[in-house]
Amino acid sequence: MKKLSKFVVASTMLLSLVGCSSTSSSDECTLTVSSFQLSEDIVNEDVIKPFEKQYNCKVVTDLGNAADRFTKLQNNPDSGIDVIELNQSTSAQGYGSELFEKLDPSKVSNIDNLISTAKAYQEANGYGPAFVIQSVGIVYDKEALGFEISSWDDLWKANLKGAIAIPDITTTFGPAMMYIASDHANKDITSDDGASAFKALEELKPNIVKTYTKSSDLANMFAAGEIKAAVVGDFAVPMIQNAANSVSYVVPESGTYANFNTIDVVASSKNKELAYKYVNWRISKELQSVTSKSLNEGPTNATVELSEEDAQNKTYGAVAQRAKAIDYTFVNPLLANWTDQWNRLLNR
């Protein structure tokens, strides 16, 4: 009996360390993650399945774009979502509200390994960490143009008339385009709430063929010869190059603007212990060493080492060092007004 008792105790301890046990309720064994509707097969294989195996649980995903998923959570905070992945602009809307839980760093050991910009961002707001860093650059067809693009100012050149596409103001890098335009005007965007940026965009307008909302559109436009250059997030570069292998990608030496994808524990989650484990997994060296390649995600874990080939088209190394942050506490209150001005200027 003593031997049997010791076996039962040991088995129980093992199951508690692994995760959900066979006697746990299905709710305790299920983690619901709200995430982006991108590369679902790869995410399932590289992100979800290993986590399920390690913690003996089931991960259910709720997929869609960031704005729609955030609005859905706002309208129904008790929807059963345990963890939510958002872009930086959208997650900032939830900070200071009761939607997300303030992060307990003691439950996320990998937080100590974040790159300096991601660590500073998390410490400043106190919520979930960034698990991806992306930045914006220029993809262009050198052969079709007949010259190289090396700076943001090149986009305003007269010989690019009717040749470029830029991200719409409503997309992840729409606000970055406002910052780039303001930089072209040699004006700090926070000093005039974007007025100079709109003047610069008006000067750029003859060169703009399209303000796009889907980066997949760019692949088709390059392939069809409809555009010769575009401002684009680095995550979309491989897809564009697969469709138009003649295009090159450049991040100007003057710098770029970064976007973090963040991951937060939802305040109403009934399964926070497992939710914290998922957050920790998302910023682990083990996972990011894989997803930096399979999903073209710039790693936020500083211990991830990429070869020169694997670092191409990612916010990593020298590119990450010259990536500037966008202040969404400044941007978000202005966004509705900016969107209205943008549509009247560029989308009529």
Side-chain angles (χ1 to χ4, degrees):
M1 286 296 291
K2 285 183 180 180
K3 288 183 179 180
L4 180 61
S5 177
K6 288 180 180 178
F7 174 78
V8 171
V9 170
S11 299
T12 303
M13 289 177 65
L14 177 62
L15 285 168
S16 67
L17 288 171
V18 171
C20 298
S21 72
S22 60
T23 58
S24 299
S25 72
S26 59
D27 286 345
E28 290 173 336
C29 283
T30 301
L31 186 76
T32 303
V33 178
S34 175
S35 187
F36 301 95
Q37 195 164 14
L38 295 168
S39 306
E40 294 169 48
D41 291 343
I42 299 174
V43 171
N44 187 55
E45 193 66 31
D46 292 347
V47 181
I48 293 174
K49 282 186 177 179
F51 182 83
E52 289 178 326
K53 182 177 181 180
Q54 182 175 356
Y55 293 104
N56 190 29
C57 66
K58 175 68 178 174
V59 174
V60 176
T61 54
D62 176 56
L63 305 176
N65 69 55
D68 288 347
R69 291 184 292 105
F70 178 75
T71 300
K72 186 162 65 173
L73 182 63
Q74 274 186 312
N75 293 335
N76 183 14
D78 297 315
S79 60
I81 300 294
D82 297 299
V83 174
I84 188 165
E85 298 176 351
L86 298 168
N87 59 29
Q88 187 178 343
S89 172
T90 309
S91 62
Q93 297 176 46
Y95 298 159
S97 71
E98 297 181 354
L99 285 177
F100 307 151
E101 173 157 310
K102 280 275 192 178
L103 194 77
D104 181 350
S106 69
K107 296 180 180 179
V108 187
S109 59
N110 288 317
I111 206 164
D112 292 333
N113 295 324
L114 290 178
I115 59 175
S116 58
T117 50
K119 186 176 292 186
Y121 177 76
Q122 192 282 320
E123 289 174 349
N125 62 63
Y127 289 91
F131 67 96
V132 175
I133 182 171
Q134 303 160 333
S135 62
V136 66
I138 304 167
V139 62
Y140 70 102
D141 191 330
K142 179 183 175 182
E143 185 176 326
L145 282 177
F147 62 90
E148 290 188 0
I149 289 178
S150 60
S151 76
W152 296 112
D153 291 331
D154 287 343
L155 297 173
W156 275 261
K157 287 183 175 179
N159 51 2
L160 276 173
K161 184 177 180 179
I164 71 172
I166 64 173
D168 192 73
I169 188 66
T170 59
T171 64
T172 296
F173 283 110
M177 194 65 223
M178 287 288 293
Y179 274 70
I180 291 164
S182 195
D183 290 343
H184 177 75
N186 293 314
K187 191 76 172 181
D188 177 357
I189 195 170
T190 63
S191 68
D192 66 356
D193 290 348
S196 297
F198 278 109
K199 289 179 182 178
L201 286 170
E202 189 169 8
E203 295 170 7
L204 184 64
K205 186 175 179 179
N207 292 2
I208 300 172
V209 175
K210 183 180 180 67
T211 63
Y212 67 90
T213 56
K214 295 180 180 178
S215 52
S216 57
D217 291 344
L218 299 179
N220 297 329
M221 294 182 77
F222 270 111
E226 295 175 34
I227 56 173
K228 297 174 184 177
V231 177
V232 67
D234 54 17
F235 60 88
V237 173
M239 173 187 61
I240 295 169
Q241 290 180 328
N242 284 338
N245 55 21
S246 62
V247 302
S248 303
Y249 180 68
V250 61
V251 179
E253 288 294 327
S254 61
T256 181
Y257 287 95
N259 166 71
F260 287 126
N261 283 348
T262 62
I263 181 166
D264 277 280
V265 175
V266 176
S268 61
S269 170
K270 302 296 190 295
N271 200 3
K272 289 181 180 175
E273 183 177 349
L274 193 59
Y276 268 104
K277 286 182 170 63
Y278 192 81
V279 170
N280 201 46
W281 166 242
R282 234 11 191 129
I283 61 171
S284 68
K285 178 181 180 180
E286 178 186 355
L287 177 58
Q288 292 197 1
S289 295
V290 174
T291 55
S292 60
K293 301 169 188 175
S294 66
L295 293 170
N296 196 46
E297 293 182 343
T300 57
N301 188 307
T303 64
V304 174
E305 296 182 5
L306 301 180
S307 67
E308 185 175 343
E309 181 181 355
D310 289 333
Q312 286 185 353
N313 305 332
K314 293 183 184 68
T315 308
Y316 178 82
V319 175
Q321 289 175 9
R322 63 180 190 267
K324 293 167 278 192
I326 293 174
D327 182 1
Y328 283 100
T329 61
F330 161 74
V331 169
N332 283 342
L334 294 170
L335 199 52
N337 179 266
W338 280 4
T339 301
D340 180 60
Q341 290 186 70
W342 179 287
N343 288 335
R344 284 188 281 113
L345 176 63
L346 299 175
N347 290 340
R348 282 196 283 190

